[in-house]
PDB file of all heavy atoms in Angstrom:
ATOM      1  N   LEU A  22       0.823  -1.200   0.006  1.00 88.00           N
ATOM      2  CA  LEU A  22       0.007   0.000   0.012  1.00 88.00           C
ATOM      3  C   LEU A  22       0.857   1.267   0.009  1.00 88.00           C
ATOM      4  O   LEU A  22       0.536   2.264  -0.674  1.00 88.00           O
ATOM      5  CB  LEU A  22      -0.923  -0.012   1.220  1.00 88.00           C
ATOM      6  CG  LEU A  22      -1.959   1.122   1.319  1.00 88.00           C
ATOM      7  CD1 LEU A  22      -2.932   1.033   0.139  1.00 88.00           C
ATOM      8  CD2 LEU A  22      -2.700   1.027   2.616  1.00 88.00           C
ATOM      9  N   GLY A  23       1.971   1.186   0.725  1.00 89.00           N
ATOM     10  CA  GLY A  23       2.897   2.335   0.755  1.00 89.00           C
ATOM     11  C   GLY A  23       3.530   2.605  -0.597  1.00 89.00           C
ATOM     12  O   GLY A  23       3.838   3.743  -0.915  1.00 89.00           O
ATOM     13  N   MET A  24       3.688   1.525  -1.397  1.00 89.00           N
ATOM     14  CA  MET A  24       4.236   1.694  -2.737  1.00 89.00           C
ATOM     15  C   MET A  24       3.158   2.213  -3.699  1.00 89.00           C
ATOM     16  O   MET A  24       3.445   2.935  -4.658  1.00 89.00           O
ATOM     17  CB  MET A  24       4.809   0.397  -3.271  1.00 89.00           C
ATOM     18  CG  MET A  24       6.025  -0.093  -2.513  1.00 89.00           C
ATOM     19  SD  MET A  24       6.559  -1.706  -3.113  1.00 89.00           S
ATOM     20  CE  MET A  24       6.906  -1.350  -4.827  1.00 89.00           C
ATOM     21  N   ALA A  25       1.901   1.820  -3.457  1.00 91.00           N
ATOM     22  CA  ALA A  25       0.796   2.168  -4.356  1.00 91.00           C
ATOM     23  C   ALA A  25       0.334   3.592  -4.142  1.00 91.00           C
ATOM     24  O   ALA A  25      -0.015   4.283  -5.113  1.00 91.00           O
ATOM     25  CB  ALA A  25      -0.339   1.214  -4.193  1.00 91.00           C
ATOM     26  N   ILE A  26       0.306   4.067  -2.898  1.00 93.00           N
ATOM     27  CA  ILE A  26      -0.233   5.381  -2.591  1.00 93.00           C
ATOM     28  C   ILE A  26       0.487   6.552  -3.343  1.00 93.00           C
ATOM     29  O   ILE A  26      -0.158   7.373  -3.936  1.00 93.00           O
ATOM     30  CB  ILE A  26      -0.216   5.631  -1.077  1.00 93.00           C
ATOM     31  CG1 ILE A  26      -1.314   4.810  -0.408  1.00 93.00           C
ATOM     32  CG2 ILE A  26      -0.431   7.109  -0.739  1.00 93.00           C
ATOM     33  CD1 ILE A  26      -1.395   4.933   1.103  1.00 93.00           C
ATOM     34  N   PRO A  27       1.874   6.566  -3.341  1.00 92.00           N
ATOM     35  CA  PRO A  27       2.543   7.624  -4.102  1.00 92.00           C
ATOM     36  C   PRO A  27       2.170   7.598  -5.600  1.00 92.00           C
ATOM     37  O   PRO A  27       2.043   8.658  -6.223  1.00 92.00           O
ATOM     38  CB  PRO A  27       4.016   7.356  -3.865  1.00 92.00           C
ATOM     39  CG  PRO A  27       4.082   6.616  -2.597  1.00 92.00           C
ATOM     40  CD  PRO A  27       2.835   5.763  -2.615  1.00 92.00           C
ATOM     41  N   GLN A  28       2.037   6.415  -6.153  1.00 93.00           N
ATOM     42  CA  GLN A  28       1.664   6.306  -7.563  1.00 93.00           C
ATOM     43  C   GLN A  28       0.251   6.841  -7.799  1.00 93.00           C
ATOM     44  O   GLN A  28       0.050   7.594  -8.759  1.00 93.00           O
ATOM     45  CB  GLN A  28       1.767   4.871  -8.033  1.00 93.00           C
ATOM     46  CG  GLN A  28       3.158   4.259  -7.905  1.00 93.00           C
ATOM     47  CD  GLN A  28       3.185   2.781  -8.249  1.00 93.00           C
ATOM     48  OE1 GLN A  28       2.403   2.278  -9.048  1.00 93.00           O
ATOM     49  NE2 GLN A  28       4.093   2.039  -7.614  1.00 93.00           N
ATOM     50  N   LEU A  29      -0.685   6.481  -6.946  1.00 94.00           N
ATOM     51  CA  LEU A  29      -2.057   6.980  -7.087  1.00 94.00           C
ATOM     52  C   LEU A  29      -2.122   8.480  -6.885  1.00 94.00           C
ATOM     53  O   LEU A  29      -2.882   9.178  -7.576  1.00 94.00           O
ATOM     54  CB  LEU A  29      -2.961   6.268  -6.074  1.00 94.00           C
ATOM     55  CG  LEU A  29      -3.112   4.741  -6.320  1.00 94.00           C
ATOM     56  CD1 LEU A  29      -3.977   4.128  -5.215  1.00 94.00           C
ATOM     57  CD2 LEU A  29      -3.749   4.474  -7.675  1.00 94.00           C
ATOM     58  N   ILE A  30      -1.319   8.992  -5.935  1.00 94.00           N
ATOM     59  CA  ILE A  30      -1.298  10.447  -5.715  1.00 94.00           C
ATOM     60  C   ILE A  30      -0.778  11.172  -6.956  1.00 94.00           C
ATOM     61  O   ILE A  30      -1.299  12.210  -7.386  1.00 94.00           O
ATOM     62  CB  ILE A  30      -0.444  10.786  -4.467  1.00 94.00           C
ATOM     63  CG1 ILE A  30      -1.124  10.328  -3.200  1.00 94.00           C
ATOM     64  CG2 ILE A  30      -0.164  12.305  -4.398  1.00 94.00           C
ATOM     65  CD1 ILE A  30      -0.333  10.527  -1.943  1.00 94.00           C
ATOM     66  N   GLY A  31       0.308  10.603  -7.540  1.00 94.00           N
ATOM     67  CA  GLY A  31       0.845  11.208  -8.742  1.00 94.00           C
ATOM     68  C   GLY A  31      -0.126  11.196  -9.893  1.00 94.00           C
ATOM     69  O   GLY A  31      -0.254  12.199 -10.631  1.00 94.00           O
ATOM     70  N   ILE A  32      -0.849  10.080 -10.078  1.00 95.00           N
ATOM     71  CA  ILE A  32      -1.846  10.001 -11.145  1.00 95.00           C
ATOM     72  C   ILE A  32      -2.952  11.002 -10.902  1.00 95.00           C
ATOM     73  O   ILE A  32      -3.407  11.736 -11.810  1.00 95.00           O
ATOM     74  CB  ILE A  32      -2.427   8.572 -11.238  1.00 95.00           C
ATOM     75  CG1 ILE A  32      -1.338   7.581 -11.626  1.00 95.00           C
ATOM     76  CG2 ILE A  32      -3.607   8.502 -12.208  1.00 95.00           C
ATOM     77  CD1 ILE A  32      -1.769   6.134 -11.524  1.00 95.00           C
ATOM     78  N   LEU A  33      -3.449  11.096  -9.660  1.00 95.00           N
ATOM     79  CA  LEU A  33      -4.568  12.032  -9.336  1.00 95.00           C
ATOM     80  C   LEU A  33      -4.151  13.487  -9.532  1.00 95.00           C
ATOM     81  O   LEU A  33      -4.864  14.248 -10.198  1.00 95.00           O
ATOM     82  CB  LEU A  33      -4.978  11.780  -7.881  1.00 95.00           C
ATOM     83  CG  LEU A  33      -6.064  12.729  -7.327  1.00 95.00           C
ATOM     84  CD1 LEU A  33      -7.372  12.547  -8.132  1.00 95.00           C
ATOM     85  CD2 LEU A  33      -6.317  12.478  -5.867  1.00 95.00           C
ATOM     86  N   LEU A  34      -2.961  13.877  -9.014  1.00 95.00           N
ATOM     87  CA  LEU A  34      -2.540  15.263  -9.171  1.00 95.00           C
ATOM     88  C   LEU A  34      -2.314  15.607 -10.641  1.00 95.00           C
ATOM     89  O   LEU A  34      -2.669  16.745 -11.059  1.00 95.00           O
ATOM     90  CB  LEU A  34      -1.247  15.474  -8.361  1.00 95.00           C
ATOM     91  CG  LEU A  34      -1.347  15.458  -6.833  1.00 95.00           C
ATOM     92  CD1 LEU A  34       0.007  15.615  -6.203  1.00 95.00           C
ATOM     93  CD2 LEU A  34      -2.277  16.594  -6.361  1.00 95.00           C
ATOM     94  N   SER A  35      -1.741  14.733 -11.407  1.00 95.00           N
ATOM     95  CA  SER A  35      -1.478  15.007 -12.803  1.00 95.00           C
ATOM     96  C   SER A  35      -2.777  15.207 -13.573  1.00 95.00           C
ATOM     97  O   SER A  35      -2.907  16.121 -14.424  1.00 95.00           O
ATOM     98  CB  SER A  35      -0.647  13.927 -13.449  1.00 95.00           C
ATOM     99  OG  SER A  35      -1.300  12.676 -13.405  1.00 95.00           O
ATOM    100  N   GLN A  36      -3.769  14.348 -13.303  1.00 95.00           N
ATOM    101  CA  GLN A  36      -5.050  14.483 -14.023  1.00 95.00           C
ATOM    102  C   GLN A  36      -5.786  15.745 -13.587  1.00 95.00           C
ATOM    103  O   GLN A  36      -6.416  16.414 -14.445  1.00 95.00           O
ATOM    104  CB  GLN A  36      -5.918  13.267 -13.754  1.00 95.00           C
ATOM    105  CG  GLN A  36      -5.424  11.991 -14.436  1.00 95.00           C
ATOM    106  CD  GLN A  36      -5.313  12.164 -15.933  1.00 95.00           C
ATOM    107  OE1 GLN A  36      -6.211  12.669 -16.570  1.00 95.00           O
ATOM    108  NE2 GLN A  36      -4.175  11.807 -16.491  1.00 95.00           N
ATOM    109  N   VAL A  37      -5.711  16.104 -12.312  1.00 95.00           N
ATOM    110  CA  VAL A  37      -6.348  17.351 -11.871  1.00 95.00           C
ATOM    111  C   VAL A  37      -5.693  18.545 -12.548  1.00 95.00           C
ATOM    112  O   VAL A  37      -6.380  19.472 -13.034  1.00 95.00           O
ATOM    113  CB  VAL A  37      -6.223  17.475 -10.328  1.00 95.00           C
ATOM    114  CG1 VAL A  37      -6.624  18.892  -9.893  1.00 95.00           C
ATOM    115  CG2 VAL A  37      -7.102  16.452  -9.639  1.00 95.00           C
ATOM    116  N   LEU A  38      -4.339  18.535 -12.622  1.00 95.00           N
ATOM    117  CA  LEU A  38      -3.640  19.652 -13.253  1.00 95.00           C
ATOM    118  C   LEU A  38      -3.941  19.703 -14.762  1.00 95.00           C
ATOM    119  O   LEU A  38      -4.072  20.806 -15.305  1.00 95.00           O
ATOM    120  CB  LEU A  38      -2.138  19.492 -13.007  1.00 95.00           C
ATOM    121  CG  LEU A  38      -1.249  20.644 -13.499  1.00 95.00           C
ATOM    122  CD1 LEU A  38      -1.697  21.953 -12.845  1.00 95.00           C
ATOM    123  CD2 LEU A  38       0.232  20.381 -13.180  1.00 95.00           C
ATOM    124  N   VAL A  39      -4.026  18.547 -15.419  1.00 95.00           N
ATOM    125  CA  VAL A  39      -4.348  18.540 -16.860  1.00 95.00           C
ATOM    126  C   VAL A  39      -5.709  19.195 -17.083  1.00 95.00           C
ATOM    127  O   VAL A  39      -5.915  19.959 -18.010  1.00 95.00           O
ATOM    128  CB  VAL A  39      -4.294  17.097 -17.396  1.00 95.00           C
ATOM    129  CG1 VAL A  39      -4.985  17.008 -18.750  1.00 95.00           C
ATOM    130  CG2 VAL A  39      -2.875  16.639 -17.492  1.00 95.00           C
ATOM    131  N   ASN A  40      -6.713  18.800 -16.280  1.00 94.00           N
ATOM    132  CA  ASN A  40      -8.041  19.385 -16.422  1.00 94.00           C
ATOM    133  C   ASN A  40      -8.038  20.865 -16.162  1.00 94.00           C
ATOM    134  O   ASN A  40      -8.752  21.628 -16.864  1.00 94.00           O
ATOM    135  CB  ASN A  40      -9.004  18.686 -15.469  1.00 94.00           C
ATOM    136  CG  ASN A  40      -9.297  17.245 -15.862  1.00 94.00           C
ATOM    137  OD1 ASN A  40      -9.238  16.899 -17.050  1.00 94.00           O
ATOM    138  ND2 ASN A  40      -9.610  16.381 -14.899  1.00 94.00           N
ATOM    139  N   GLN A  41      -7.280  21.315 -15.179  1.00 94.00           N
ATOM    140  CA  GLN A  41      -7.159  22.758 -14.916  1.00 94.00           C
ATOM    141  C   GLN A  41      -6.516  23.497 -16.075  1.00 94.00           C
ATOM    142  O   GLN A  41      -6.958  24.607 -16.444  1.00 94.00           O
ATOM    143  CB  GLN A  41      -6.375  22.993 -13.637  1.00 94.00           C
ATOM    144  CG  GLN A  41      -7.096  22.525 -12.376  1.00 94.00           C
ATOM    145  CD  GLN A  41      -6.278  22.768 -11.120  1.00 94.00           C
ATOM    146  OE1 GLN A  41      -5.100  23.057 -11.188  1.00 94.00           O
ATOM    147  NE2 GLN A  41      -6.902  22.602  -9.961  1.00 94.00           N
ATOM    148  N   ILE A  42      -5.487  22.912 -16.661  1.00 93.00           N
ATOM    149  CA  ILE A  42      -4.812  23.577 -17.801  1.00 93.00           C
ATOM    150  C   ILE A  42      -5.760  23.637 -19.006  1.00 93.00           C
ATOM    151  O   ILE A  42      -5.817  24.675 -19.720  1.00 93.00           O
ATOM    152  CB  ILE A  42      -3.534  22.764 -18.189  1.00 93.00           C
ATOM    153  CG1 ILE A  42      -2.508  22.879 -17.041  1.00 93.00           C
ATOM    154  CG2 ILE A  42      -2.935  23.294 -19.471  1.00 93.00           C
ATOM    155  CD1 ILE A  42      -1.296  21.951 -17.246  1.00 93.00           C
ATOM    156  N   ARG A  43      -6.565  22.646 -19.246  1.00 93.00           N
ATOM    157  CA  ARG A  43      -7.505  22.633 -20.348  1.00 93.00           C
ATOM    158  C   ARG A  43      -8.610  23.709 -20.129  1.00 93.00           C
ATOM    159  O   ARG A  43      -8.944  24.406 -21.073  1.00 93.00           O
ATOM    160  CB  ARG A  43      -8.168  21.274 -20.510  1.00 93.00           C
ATOM    161  CG  ARG A  43      -7.218  20.224 -21.126  1.00 93.00           C
ATOM    162  CD  ARG A  43      -7.830  18.832 -21.133  1.00 93.00           C
ATOM    163  NE  ARG A  43      -7.001  17.890 -21.836  1.00 93.00           N
ATOM    164  CZ  ARG A  43      -7.144  16.578 -21.799  1.00 93.00           C
ATOM    165  NH1 ARG A  43      -8.133  16.051 -21.060  1.00 93.00           N
ATOM    166  NH2 ARG A  43      -6.345  15.792 -22.477  1.00 93.00           N
ATOM    167  N   ASP A  44      -9.037  23.836 -18.885  1.00 91.00           N
ATOM    168  CA  ASP A  44     -10.019  24.877 -18.567  1.00 91.00           C
ATOM    169  C   ASP A  44      -9.416  26.268 -18.773  1.00 91.00           C
ATOM    170  O   ASP A  44     -10.067  27.201 -19.258  1.00 91.00           O
ATOM    171  CB  ASP A  44     -10.547  24.736 -17.150  1.00 91.00           C
ATOM    172  CG  ASP A  44     -11.431  23.495 -16.971  1.00 91.00           C
ATOM    173  OD1 ASP A  44     -11.951  23.020 -17.963  1.00 91.00           O
ATOM    174  OD2 ASP A  44     -11.515  23.017 -15.808  1.00 91.00           O
ATOM    175  N   GLN A  45      -8.134  26.406 -18.426  1.00 90.00           N
ATOM    176  CA  GLN A  45      -7.443  27.697 -18.591  1.00 90.00           C
ATOM    177  C   GLN A  45      -7.276  28.013 -20.077  1.00 90.00           C
ATOM    178  O   GLN A  45      -7.457  29.190 -20.454  1.00 90.00           O
ATOM    179  CB  GLN A  45      -6.069  27.649 -17.910  1.00 90.00           C
ATOM    180  CG  GLN A  45      -5.296  28.950 -17.983  1.00 90.00           C
ATOM    181  CD  GLN A  45      -5.972  30.065 -17.251  1.00 90.00           C
ATOM    182  OE1 GLN A  45      -6.782  29.848 -16.353  1.00 90.00           O
ATOM    183  NE2 GLN A  45      -5.667  31.315 -17.663  1.00 90.00           N
ATOM    184  N   ILE A  46      -7.018  27.032 -20.901  1.00 89.00           N
ATOM    185  CA  ILE A  46      -6.885  27.263 -22.332  1.00 89.00           C
ATOM    186  C   ILE A  46      -8.230  27.699 -22.913  1.00 89.00           C
ATOM    187  O   ILE A  46      -8.290  28.627 -23.754  1.00 89.00           O
ATOM    188  CB  ILE A  46      -6.380  26.004 -23.018  1.00 89.00           C
ATOM    189  CG1 ILE A  46      -4.943  25.679 -22.605  1.00 89.00           C
ATOM    190  CG2 ILE A  46      -6.502  26.111 -24.554  1.00 89.00           C
ATOM    191  CD1 ILE A  46      -4.414  24.356 -23.149  1.00 89.00           C
ATOM    192  N   LYS A  47      -9.292  27.050 -22.474  1.00 88.00           N
ATOM    193  CA  LYS A  47     -10.652  27.468 -22.939  1.00 88.00           C
ATOM    194  C   LYS A  47     -10.956  28.903 -22.521  1.00 88.00           C
ATOM    195  O   LYS A  47     -11.554  29.681 -23.317  1.00 88.00           O
ATOM    196  CB  LYS A  47     -11.716  26.507 -22.382  1.00 88.00           C
ATOM    197  CG  LYS A  47     -11.627  25.111 -22.905  1.00 88.00           C
ATOM    198  CD  LYS A  47     -12.673  24.208 -22.242  1.00 88.00           C
ATOM    199  CE  LYS A  47     -12.594  22.780 -22.751  1.00 88.00           C
ATOM    200  NZ  LYS A  47     -13.602  21.909 -22.067  1.00 88.00           N
ATOM    201  N   LEU A  48     -10.546  29.281 -21.302  1.00 86.00           N
ATOM    202  CA  LEU A  48     -10.796  30.637 -20.859  1.00 86.00           C
ATOM    203  C   LEU A  48     -10.004  31.649 -21.694  1.00 86.00           C
ATOM    204  O   LEU A  48     -10.521  32.722 -22.041  1.00 86.00           O
ATOM    205  CB  LEU A  48     -10.420  30.758 -19.345  1.00 86.00           C
ATOM    206  CG  LEU A  48     -10.525  32.141 -18.734  1.00 86.00           C
ATOM    207  CD1 LEU A  48     -11.971  32.627 -18.772  1.00 86.00           C
ATOM    208  CD2 LEU A  48      -9.990  32.148 -17.322  1.00 86.00           C
ATOM    209  N   GLN A  49      -8.733  31.334 -22.023  1.00 85.00           N
ATOM    210  CA  GLN A  49      -7.939  32.232 -22.818  1.00 85.00           C
ATOM    211  C   GLN A  49      -8.530  32.397 -24.220  1.00 85.00           C
ATOM    212  O   GLN A  49      -8.544  33.496 -24.776  1.00 85.00           O
ATOM    213  CB  GLN A  49      -6.504  31.716 -22.887  1.00 85.00           C
ATOM    214  CG  GLN A  49      -5.761  31.773 -21.574  1.00 85.00           C
ATOM    215  CD  GLN A  49      -4.402  31.137 -21.623  1.00 85.00           C
ATOM    216  OE1 GLN A  49      -4.059  30.453 -22.581  1.00 85.00           O
ATOM    217  NE2 GLN A  49      -3.596  31.334 -20.550  1.00 85.00           N
ATOM    218  N   LEU A  50      -8.996  31.294 -24.830  1.00 84.00           N
ATOM    219  CA  LEU A  50      -9.630  31.375 -26.127  1.00 84.00           C
ATOM    220  C   LEU A  50     -10.870  32.193 -26.075  1.00 84.00           C
ATOM    221  O   LEU A  50     -11.188  32.988 -26.977  1.00 84.00           O
ATOM    222  CB  LEU A  50      -9.932  29.951 -26.661  1.00 84.00           C
ATOM    223  CG  LEU A  50      -8.718  29.094 -27.001  1.00 84.00           C
ATOM    224  CD1 LEU A  50      -9.192  27.690 -27.370  1.00 84.00           C
ATOM    225  CD2 LEU A  50      -7.912  29.702 -28.139  1.00 84.00           C
ATOM    226  N   TYR A  51     -11.645  32.045 -25.014  1.00 81.00           N
ATOM    227  CA  TYR A  51     -12.894  32.821 -24.860  1.00 81.00           C
ATOM    228  C   TYR A  51     -12.542  34.335 -24.759  1.00 81.00           C
ATOM    229  O   TYR A  51     -13.235  35.159 -25.381  1.00 81.00           O
ATOM    230  CB  TYR A  51     -13.619  32.355 -23.610  1.00 81.00           C
ATOM    231  CG  TYR A  51     -14.894  33.106 -23.330  1.00 81.00           C
ATOM    232  CD1 TYR A  51     -16.086  32.795 -23.942  1.00 81.00           C
ATOM    233  CD2 TYR A  51     -14.865  34.171 -22.390  1.00 81.00           C
ATOM    234  CE1 TYR A  51     -17.250  33.532 -23.687  1.00 81.00           C
ATOM    235  CE2 TYR A  51     -16.014  34.873 -22.112  1.00 81.00           C
ATOM    236  CZ  TYR A  51     -17.212  34.557 -22.752  1.00 81.00           C
ATOM    237  OH  TYR A  51     -18.347  35.246 -22.498  1.00 81.00           O
ATOM    238  N   ASN A  52     -11.530  34.683 -23.987  1.00 78.00           N
ATOM    239  CA  ASN A  52     -11.146  36.052 -23.826  1.00 78.00           C
ATOM    240  C   ASN A  52     -10.673  36.674 -25.126  1.00 78.00           C
ATOM    241  O   ASN A  52     -10.932  37.817 -25.450  1.00 78.00           O
ATOM    242  CB  ASN A  52     -10.079  36.203 -22.750  1.00 78.00           C
ATOM    243  CG  ASN A  52     -10.662  35.975 -21.346  1.00 78.00           C
ATOM    244  OD1 ASN A  52     -11.839  36.161 -21.112  1.00 78.00           O
ATOM    245  ND2 ASN A  52      -9.792  35.587 -20.423  1.00 78.00           N
ATOM    246  N   GLN A  53      -9.900  35.839 -25.902  1.00 80.00           N
ATOM    247  CA  GLN A  53      -9.388  36.352 -27.150  1.00 80.00           C
ATOM    248  C   GLN A  53     -10.506  36.616 -28.176  1.00 80.00           C
ATOM    249  O   GLN A  53     -10.481  37.566 -28.927  1.00 80.00           O
ATOM    250  CB  GLN A  53      -8.383  35.340 -27.764  1.00 80.00           C
ATOM    251  CG  GLN A  53      -7.073  35.254 -26.998  1.00 80.00           C
ATOM    252  CD  GLN A  53      -6.173  34.168 -27.550  1.00 80.00           C
ATOM    253  OE1 GLN A  53      -6.509  33.480 -28.508  1.00 80.00           O
ATOM    254  NE2 GLN A  53      -5.005  34.007 -26.920  1.00 80.00           N
ATOM    255  N   GLN A  54     -11.542  35.757 -28.138  1.00 78.00           N
ATOM    256  CA  GLN A  54     -12.663  35.943 -29.088  1.00 78.00           C
ATOM    257  C   GLN A  54     -13.487  37.130 -28.745  1.00 78.00           C
ATOM    258  O   GLN A  54     -14.082  37.761 -29.626  1.00 78.00           O
ATOM    259  CB  GLN A  54     -13.524  34.668 -29.074  1.00 78.00           C
ATOM    260  CG  GLN A  54     -12.856  33.445 -29.677  1.00 78.00           C
ATOM    261  CD  GLN A  54     -13.670  32.178 -29.471  1.00 78.00           C
ATOM    262  OE1 GLN A  54     -14.738  32.218 -28.853  1.00 78.00           O
ATOM    263  NE2 GLN A  54     -13.177  31.069 -29.994  1.00 78.00           N
ATOM    264  N   HIS A  55     -13.574  37.536 -27.489  1.00 73.00           N
ATOM    265  CA  HIS A  55     -14.412  38.628 -27.072  1.00 73.00           C
ATOM    266  C   HIS A  55     -13.622  39.902 -26.782  1.00 73.00           C
ATOM    267  O   HIS A  55     -14.207  40.888 -26.363  1.00 73.00           O
ATOM    268  CB  HIS A  55     -15.222  38.264 -25.828  1.00 73.00           C
ATOM    269  CG  HIS A  55     -16.211  37.149 -26.057  1.00 73.00           C
ATOM    270  ND1 HIS A  55     -15.876  35.829 -26.173  1.00 73.00           N
ATOM    271  CD2 HIS A  55     -17.565  37.186 -26.259  1.00 73.00           C
ATOM    272  CE1 HIS A  55     -16.947  35.079 -26.368  1.00 73.00           C
ATOM    273  NE2 HIS A  55     -18.005  35.883 -26.459  1.00 73.00           N
ATOM    274  N   ARG A  56     -12.322  39.850 -26.997  1.00 69.00           N
ATOM    275  CA  ARG A  56     -11.521  41.047 -26.704  1.00 69.00           C
ATOM    276  C   ARG A  56     -11.888  42.227 -27.613  1.00 69.00           C
ATOM    277  O   ARG A  56     -11.860  43.392 -27.194  1.00 69.00           O
ATOM    278  CB  ARG A  56     -10.020  40.727 -26.836  1.00 69.00           C
ATOM    279  CG  ARG A  56      -9.094  41.761 -26.213  1.00 69.00           C
ATOM    280  CD  ARG A  56      -7.646  41.412 -26.457  1.00 69.00           C
ATOM    281  NE  ARG A  56      -7.342  40.097 -25.900  1.00 69.00           N
ATOM    282  CZ  ARG A  56      -6.989  39.865 -24.653  1.00 69.00           C
ATOM    283  NH1 ARG A  56      -6.902  40.913 -23.810  1.00 69.00           N
ATOM    284  NH2 ARG A  56      -6.715  38.654 -24.225  1.00 69.00           N
ATOM    285  N   ALA A  57     -12.231  41.929 -28.868  1.00 58.00           N
ATOM    286  CA  ALA A  57     -12.548  43.007 -29.820  1.00 58.00           C
ATOM    287  C   ALA A  57     -13.997  43.489 -29.716  1.00 58.00           C
ATOM    288  O   ALA A  57     -14.369  44.459 -30.383  1.00 58.00           O
ATOM    289  CB  ALA A  57     -12.290  42.506 -31.284  1.00 58.00           C
ATOM    290  N   ASP A  58     -14.803  42.888 -28.872  1.00 59.00           N
ATOM    291  CA  ASP A  58     -16.200  43.283 -28.731  1.00 59.00           C
ATOM    292  C   ASP A  58     -16.256  44.582 -27.895  1.00 59.00           C
ATOM    293  O   ASP A  58     -15.882  44.605 -26.735  1.00 59.00           O
ATOM    294  CB  ASP A  58     -16.988  42.159 -28.028  1.00 59.00           C
ATOM    295  CG  ASP A  58     -18.453  42.455 -27.984  1.00 59.00           C
ATOM    296  OD1 ASP A  58     -18.868  43.559 -28.463  1.00 59.00           O
ATOM    297  OD2 ASP A  58     -19.222  41.600 -27.507  1.00 59.00           O
TER     298      ASP A  58
END
């Protein structure tokens, strides 16, 4: 279990960060599209 927990933590953190980065990219695209309005 001690060997598995760090691996699961790494998988969880990386997936959370990936989702956050994707949301940030969508936000930047949204801002760029509406900047000229």
Side-chain angles (χ1 to χ4, degrees):
L22 186 62
M24 294 176 60
I26 287 179
Q28 299 174 31
L29 295 176
I30 291 176
I32 295 171
L33 177 63
L34 289 177
S35 61
Q36 288 303 311
V37 169
L38 186 57
V39 165
N40 291 331
Q41 291 179 349
I42 294 172
R43 286 174 175 167
D44 291 338
Q45 182 64 24
I46 292 174
K47 293 178 181 178
L48 177 63
Q49 291 175 350
L50 292 175
Y51 178 83
N52 288 336
Q53 290 175 1
Q54 292 173 358
H55 294 78
R56 195 182 302 272
D58 186 357

